[in-house]
Structure formats: C-alpha cells, structure tokens
Amino acid sequence: MLILDGIGDRPVKEIGNRTPLEAAHTPNLDRFATNGVNGIMDTIAPGIIPGSDTGHLALLGYDPYQVYSGRGPFEASGLDMNLHRGEVVFRCNFGTLEEGIVTDRRAGRIKDGTDLLAKAINQMKFDIDFVFKESVEHRAVLVFKDPNLGPLVSDTDPHLEDRPLLVSRADDNNLPNLRTAGLINKFTEMTTAILSEHPVNLERVERGEPPANVILSRGAGSVPDMSSLESLKGIRSAVIAGIPLVRGVCGLAGMDILSAPGATGGLDTDLESIFKTIVGNIDDYDFILVNIKGPDIPGHDGDHSCKIEFIEKIDAALPLLESMEDTYIAITGDHSTPVMVKNHSGDPLPLTIIGKEVRVDDVASFGERSCAKGGLGRIRGMDLLNILLDLAKRAEKFGA
Ligand code: ZN
Ligand code: ZN
C-alpha cells in the first residue's frame, strides 16, 4: 500500500482547471492505472476530513471513531515509547513563559539540554506515575501512567505566541477527565518552578536566549486497545514512513518499522531508497505500508508547482517497484491536501490497484477524475486492506 500523503486535490485555475496530479507528467503512474483496477476512496467517510493519524488508522482497517481520542499516543508510539492501554499521552513543547504569557512556543527552537531538563522533570515527586521524554528540538511527550484518567481535556498550549498559558479543562463532568485536567495543570505549575531554576535555563538566559521554562501540552489521547494486524488479519506487516506520527499508528497496530536510508518526511527524501527498501523486504512480509509525506507539504503551502514537481519525482522512481512479482500494489493517499485549501479536505482520493488477477478497467491515467470512472467505484479506506487481502487470496470466508 503506497500512500502518497495529501495527494488528492481540486482543480486549479492557473493550471487549466486541472489538479496538480492531473497536470503532472506521470507516465509510470498512468501505466499502473492502465494495467490496474481503479476507483476513488473516502478514507474515513464522504466529506470527513482525515488527519494523517486517523487516515492511516482507517487504511489499516481500524475504525478511527473507536480507537482515536487524540494524537498524543500515536506520536509517542512513533518515538518508541513503551505504552500501555488506557494511559493518557500528551504532545508537548518546551516553551518560554514570562509572567504568565507564552512569549515563545518553541523556546527559541531549543536544541541542546532538553535531555537534562527532562531528567529533572522525571525526578520530580508527583501525585501519579508519569514519564516525560524529550524529542527533536523543542518537542516532547508526556505519559500519565495511571488507569483512572480520561483523555478528554483541553490544551494548555495557547497555540499562538504572546497569549496567556491556558488552564486545561475537562470536556465534560466525567471524573476521569476532571482528574486529568487537574493533574496536567498541577504538572505544568510544578515543572515551571523546576525548569526556571535549572542550570540549562540559567545559562540560556545569560546568553540572551529564551529559557525553556514551561511545558506546553496538547493533543491528549488515551492509548487505544488496538489488536495487532497479525491477530486481526493473520498477516505479518511492516511500515516505511518518514514521519513519527505514521510510524506510531503502525507501531500500535503491531507492525514492524523498517528504515530506508535517506528517507525523511520532507521533500528531500530519497525515493529510490524507499522503493528499494520495499523490494528488499517484500519477501519477509505479507503487507507493507509506505507513506511518502512529500505531496502534503506543498498542499499546505498552496504551491501547485512544487506539488507537481514532487509528484513527477515519485513517478520517475516508480519503475523500481515493477520487479516485484506476485505482489498486489495499491497506490492512493491518506487524504486530499488541496493547494487552494492549504489544509486537508474530505475530497475522495484516486486509487489504483495492480496485480495478476485484478479486473483491469478502461482507466488510462492516474488522476482524481480519471480514476472515478474505474472498476472499483467509490470505496472507503477501511475496506482497502480487505480488498487487497482478498485479491491476494489471504482473506477468510465469512460463512459456510
Ligand atoms: Zn497525511
Ligand atoms: Zn497535512
């Protein structure tokens, strides 16, 4: 399953009312469509706007409405943290607080010393067990390891600079959520006191750099009870993805994480390395999901030329996949990121599946409108893995 992140788009006037995918020169994608069965896909449901996390959950066959309460646990899983069902996980930033006002949400994009700050936080005596882990630059993750907490609380992160630090509130009057809100507010207060006195920050202030003296939290979610793909579908599976969030979703589904040298979540990613890693590992797995983040980035930036250019790069590397025999390949996205919207949208995605026994249709190009005329019609993301397993004769009969 090759997921081109944010590939779907809407017609853009400047390129003749075509979408970036339609306007791009993609002889290889078009050949896949010509030899495949095509359709369009609502990752979650028509008109529902997926995140990359909920989108990938659906693509793996999970119902995001059942397993998703917030981004935190998926982000933490992508950082290889040991998580347990029911724990509440927050995404965090080291920020700068001056007299109650968040003056820098990233503490000057702090690079060094966050490990020491995290160590000091983890030594703090607190009401419940917790783990705080620093990540890249100003990013971090916080896990509340207590079974009696709920995930439905608001962020302390004001999301904008020069705004007051927010007080977290429970979304409802359920005790577990109220407890979490009380604890995260207390945690914020106590860590601010510790961080403000920490040598790392005293040195930063001396150098004229913003101190990392507050932990801003957001995206609370509880670790879902997700059965692995192996137990649900009887398949051994792996993921290649440049962004931790997608690796995290797949990690919680029990998938192996493969790394491709030079693969990143950016436009500089090494596509050939990614495709070679697929080919090199396909014999060890029944199913590999690959996320290529690139197309989503110019979508958010509203840059159709850049999106076209990156799609053409993917297309140029695609022939590397053709050496795989006895493999069904689905090419689609996790959501649309139209350049006119500069964000995700609920527009359905083009989908092509190639492999030995697909019912090849009359579609001859890989695009949003061309694929809509294909033999798969319009499907849901949650059905895609089942369709692939059925094609590959790996599905089980329902009934006698
Ligand atoms: Zn995405
Ligand atoms: Zn995006």
Side-chain angles (χ1 to χ4, degrees):
M1 200 184 277
L2 179 58
I3 305 302
L4 311 179
D5 206 299
I7 186 75
D9 214 299
R10 295 179 179 180
V12 181
K13 212 172 164 190
E14 292 91 322
I15 46 176
N17 287 314
R18 291 170 299 172
T19 68
L21 179 59
E22 289 168 347
H25 178 62
T26 54
N28 295 311
L29 281 166
D30 295 345
R31 196 176 58 254
F32 272 67
T34 304
N35 296 327
V37 60
N38 300 271
I40 52 174
M41 182 185 76
D42 298 291
T43 316
I44 297 176
I48 300 299
I49 304 172
S52 288
D53 40 19
T54 51
H56 281 81
L57 282 168
L59 289 167
L60 295 176
Y62 296 93
D63 180 352
Y65 292 106
Q66 295 289 322
V67 297
Y68 188 85
S69 56
R71 179 173 180 161
F74 300 98
E75 201 79 40
S77 156
L79 295 174
D80 280 340
M81 291 182 79
N82 195 8
L83 300 173
H84 303 91
R85 181 179 150 190
E87 292 172 346
V88 174
V89 188
F90 301 80
R91 306 174 66 205
C92 298
N93 272 13
F94 286 97
T96 305
L97 188 70
E98 284 176 43
E99 289 167 17
I101 303 294
V102 177
T103 54
D104 190 333
R105 287 186 60 247
R106 300 177 180 87
R109 290 199 176 265
I110 181 167
K111 284 188 180 58
D112 301 315
T114 52
D115 52 338
L116 299 174
L117 297 175
K119 194 174 168 199
I121 290 173
N122 283 316
Q123 285 166 350
M124 176 178 93
K125 256 188 100 61
F126 193 56
D127 303 27
I128 55 157
D129 287 344
F130 71 92
V131 174
F132 181 85
K133 188 176 175 186
E134 78 284 2
S135 170
V136 183
E137 293 184 344
H138 53 275
R139 301 176 188 89
V141 166
L142 170 65
V143 185
F144 277 171
K145 302 179 92 63
D146 186 289
N148 302 310
L149 301 178
L152 302 180
V153 299
S154 64
D155 303 343
T156 62
D157 183 347
H159 294 269
L160 289 169
E161 263 143 29
D162 298 320
R163 299 285 171 92
L165 175 67
L166 301 178
V167 174
S168 175
R169 298 194 191 285
D171 292 2
D172 53 29
N173 277 326
N174 285 334
L175 197 55
N177 295 327
L178 290 167
R179 270 198 209 107
T180 304
L183 285 166
I184 189 66
N185 290 325
K186 187 170 177 184
F187 179 89
T188 308
E189 203 181 305
M190 288 176 67
T191 49
T192 297
I194 290 171
L195 294 173
S196 301
E197 300 297 316
H198 196 282
V200 166
N201 278 326
L202 298 179
E203 284 162 28
R204 287 182 69 81
V205 172
E206 208 149 281
R207 288 197 299 268
E209 294 168 354
N213 62 1
V214 67
I215 302 301
L216 305 171
S217 58
R218 63 187 188 281
S222 60
V223 179
D225 181 13
M226 274 168 63
S227 303
S228 68
L229 280 188
E230 179 141 29
S231 65
L232 290 171
K233 314 271 187 194
I235 53 173
R236 292 193 314 131
S237 53
V239 60
I240 302 168
I243 52 168
L245 185 62
V246 170
R247 286 200 299 271
V249 168
C250 294
L252 284 175
M255 298 168 71
D256 286 353
I257 314 281
L258 302 177
S259 59
T264 70
L267 296 166
D268 61 346
T269 193
D270 187 339
L271 293 163
E272 290 196 359
S273 165
I274 293 173
F275 290 155
K276 281 179 185 162
T277 304
I278 302 171
V279 174
N281 284 278
I282 195 70
D283 289 343
D284 295 334
Y285 293 99
D286 301 305
F287 169 60
I288 296 182
L289 182 144
V290 181
N291 173 281
I292 295 176
K293 178 71 175 165
D296 185 54
I297 298 165
H300 282 282
D301 293 342
D303 186 343
H304 62 262
S305 312
C306 178
K307 195 165 178 181
I308 291 172
E309 204 177 299
F310 193 78
I311 291 168
E312 291 179 347
K313 263 193 200 169
I314 296 171
D315 187 82
L318 215 54
L320 285 168
L321 291 186
E322 281 168 329
S323 63
M324 293 190 296
E325 284 176 25
D326 289 329
T327 301
Y328 284 87
I329 303 176
I331 305 177
T332 185
D334 54 343
H335 50 76
S336 294
T337 311
V339 293
M340 303 303 287
V341 178
K342 294 187 178 183
N343 211 331
H344 302 180
S345 77
D347 298 279
L349 294 145
L351 163 67
T352 189
I353 301 176
I354 64 157
K356 268 189 185 160
E357 293 171 17
V358 300
R359 293 176 181 165
V360 176
D361 56 29
D362 297 334
V363 175
S365 68
F366 186 67
E368 291 87 341
R369 280 173 280 204
S370 51
C371 286
K373 299 180 190 127
L376 285 168
R378 185 167 182 160
I379 69 160
R380 293 183 315 164
M382 270 181 71
D383 299 324
L384 180 56
L385 184 55
N386 284 339
I387 290 171
L388 291 174
L389 292 174
D390 177 44
L391 280 168
K393 306 186 185 80
R394 294 298 305 269
E396 274 178 32
K397 181 160 58 179
F398 174 50

